[in-house]
Amino acid sequence: MAPDADASTDQHITEVSGTGVPIPGDDVDTDQILPAQFMKEVTFDNMADYLFYDARRDEDGEFNDHPLNRFEGASIAVVNSNFGCGSSREHAPQAMMRWGVDGVVGESYAEIFRDNCKSLGIPAVTADHETVVELQEWIEANPDGHIDIDVEGETVTYGDTVIDVDVDDAMREALVEGIWDTTALMYSNRSKVDETVADLPYVEGDD
Amino acid sequence: MSEGTLYDKVWERHKVTELPNGQDQLFIGLHLVHEVTSPQAFGMLRERDLDVAYPDQTFATTDHIAPTEADKRERPLADDQAEEMLSALERNTSESGITFFGFDSGKQGITHVVAPELGLSQPGMTVACGDSHTATHGAFGSIGVGIGTSQIRDVLATGCIAADKQKVRRIEVEGELGEGVYAKDVIMKVIKDLGVDGGVGHVYEYGGPAIEALDMEGRLAVCNMSIEGGARAGYVNPDETTYEYLRGREYVPEGEAFEERKRYWESVASDDDAEYDDVVTVDADGLDPLVTWGINPGQVVEIDEPVPHPDDFDERTDREAAEKAIDHMEVDPGQSMLGYDVDVAFLGTCTNGRLSDFREAARILENHSVDEDVRALAVPGSETVRAQCEAEGIDQTFIEAGFQWRRAGCSMCLAMNDDRLDAGEVCASSSNRNFVGRQGSKDGRTVLMSPAMVAAAAVEGEVVDARDYLDDGPTGGAGGVEEVAD
């Protein structure tokens, strides 16, 4: 069988929509999103079960009133600033995706987290503090309310409100053009890689 | 936009092409692999029937799940999940022709300790690893970035990542560090000043007299915690300290080849007239040891400083974060951290698990014993570090003082093995993250500090100023130590 770098399921992701879940707090780190003890699995299959594992449970191990317990079925997570900081673990956005999150609206993201979202085809868009907080409050008041992220148009619509959001250029291009699986893209540039490598004094050439 | 910096030069040397999404395709000269974030990536490769493109540029070891008690390293490991991860890594590296430093190699350890000490990390390289502390390797004057698992797949399959070029912030650390003040304190001060998200969108270039005076292990500690300040990468320009550290190491060329390689290393250093996106100055003169009081590394004070009041913060979100931290840590605003009770002392990690870290801690432990209520763990960052310590007899100093002397691994930094906090235990830790739950208990509390500070906290069972314990005799020294060694 010939190598199949294109075996991804890349799609054009121009918009995502659904009900929302607010996950409030600045500097929410990936250790909270997906505690390390649950990374001891060689696949991502079960990660949804571990999403915010500690934060979602009370002292007896029962579900508490964490938003993820109250807004089950939501597709749009709404977060604050520097979300996903700390560890680079892709387990965090994998867990969110497998729980049902298709898109994220936030004030800002840690870079590795944003990169990981892009790799998974999850748009992570940004808006200012007041705008995000208003949206979070709206979700609390309208748990069944519909939210739409227009990746291409860089807007988020909820109720009668349309807000402008920012989408990182590379993320927008990747998602809208359906080229967010970078393996296939870069695999096709193999000869150019060879040229770059040939000029690096510390890399031995091919035998 | 920056120009003429090491970052610009190394980026250009490794840039393959611009991708249609506007990102650059960047060749990765050193790919470090460990057991936790790689099995899924190897699985993705198999799904596409792709081979590892550059196995000779790829090196693996096991660290996150590695048991640190000697008798628990027998195979199969008692923890089935850990055994499965380790077996998968052995299989994946063996099938791909990737060098793997396992338990029996004598070189196993934390990736960010192993690669520098073997001479794998060198100036002018791009380094990637599925671990956010990959910035560590920037200490040599390389670009080290942490990546997610899908990006590990990219590097395995193509030798490259898709990346956005960042802004370059020069962090000029002026002055001279006093006795008992370390690289760890410098980087915590940087994070204190610039915030945990201050570096987002930036690479940090650390320079100035206080950085130039650091040895390589100190520079590694500084660069290691770049990510805690939000900067995905941080580096120090290579100089004679760098070159002399590298000379003679296993993966470094010798003789004329060394001189030739050195010319490349020298060529990538930032130009004298390099342009930076911005420059920040930090004064290291008079800096005291720092300790965290909260639940992120930016919630940190110098040892005599009071824990802030939530009302001290202008931003509502900072106030809320402070309230949450004070609640979790049960600290008193207005009081310093001196005297804060400690149950566990943990020395090790990719930040502070190197020979000089154990030497500094041993200076204190030579004359003191661990408080009887404190559980104290010394976990060398690598088996090489362990062997060095044992050759110097440092292990005996630790053991006689009451520390458990362990084998190499990430251990209680993130508690993926058996080493973890119980319930609400407080840990004086030389690690890099004090996030809630980080050390294995959601009620556990972490106080980040330098290795010397950890040793002193272990002795007293509370947070103290380690400078009072350095070089004093067995009957206590100038610092007014009341409790002496048993």
Side-chain angles (χ1 to χ4, degrees), chain A residues 35-140:
Chain A
Q37 65 189 103
F38 302 113
M39 295 205 301
K40 291 201 293 196
E41 295 185 13
V42 295
T43 72
F44 291 127
D45 297 349
N46 302 322
M47 289 301 134
D49 297 343
Y50 313 134
L51 181 62
F52 282 98
Y53 191 92
D54 291 333
R56 289 171 72 183
R57 284 167 175 78
D58 63 21
E59 284 174 7
D60 301 322
E62 301 295 321
F63 274 157
N64 57 21
D65 66 347
H66 190 278
L68 287 166
N69 299 332
R70 293 186 287 119
F71 295 88
E72 222 165 313
S75 307
I76 310 295
V78 183
V79 304
N80 299 96
S81 85
N82 200 28
F83 187 82
C85 63
S87 160
S88 59
R89 62 190 68 160
E90 188 172 304
H91 301 66
Q94 285 274 0
M96 291 172 67
M97 181 177 79
R98 287 161 196 271
W99 183 85
V101 171
D102 295 326
V104 192
V105 182
E107 293 175 46
S108 65
Y109 308 95
E111 278 156 35
I112 305 178
F113 181 84
R114 196 194 57 201
D115 267 10
N116 284 335
C117 284
K118 179 162 68 62
S119 297
L120 300 178
I122 302 171
V125 309
T126 56
D128 64 37
H129 176 67
E130 283 71 27
T131 305
V132 168
V133 170
E134 272 175 37
L135 176 54
Q136 288 175 324
E137 287 167 355
W138 182 85
I139 297 170
E140 287 284 354

Side-chain angles (χ1 to χ4, degrees), chain A residues 1 4-5 26 29 31 40 57 86-88 90 111 115-116 118 129 181-183 189 193 199 202, chain B residues 13-14 23 25 29 48-49 54 79 148-150 153-154 166 200-201 232 316-317 416 433 435 438:
Chain A
M1 200 174 98
D4 185 10
D26 289 343
D29 57 79
D31 275 276
K40 291 201 293 196
R57 284 167 175 78
S87 160
S88 59
E90 188 172 304
E111 278 156 35
D115 267 10
N116 284 335
K118 179 162 68 62
H129 176 67
D181 180 337
T182 37
T183 297
N189 292 332
V193 177
D199 282 341
Y202 69 89
Chain B
R13 293 288 302 235
H14 293 78
Q23 291 189 297
Q25 179 170 348
R48 302 181 193 200
D49 196 25
Y54 293 91
D79 177 341
T149 295
S150 294
R153 172 198 65 200
D154 285 352
Q166 311 282 351
V200 173
R232 197 168 183 177
R316 183 177 61 83
T317 52
M416 284 193 72
R433 288 188 177 137
F435 298 149
R438 172 77 178 180

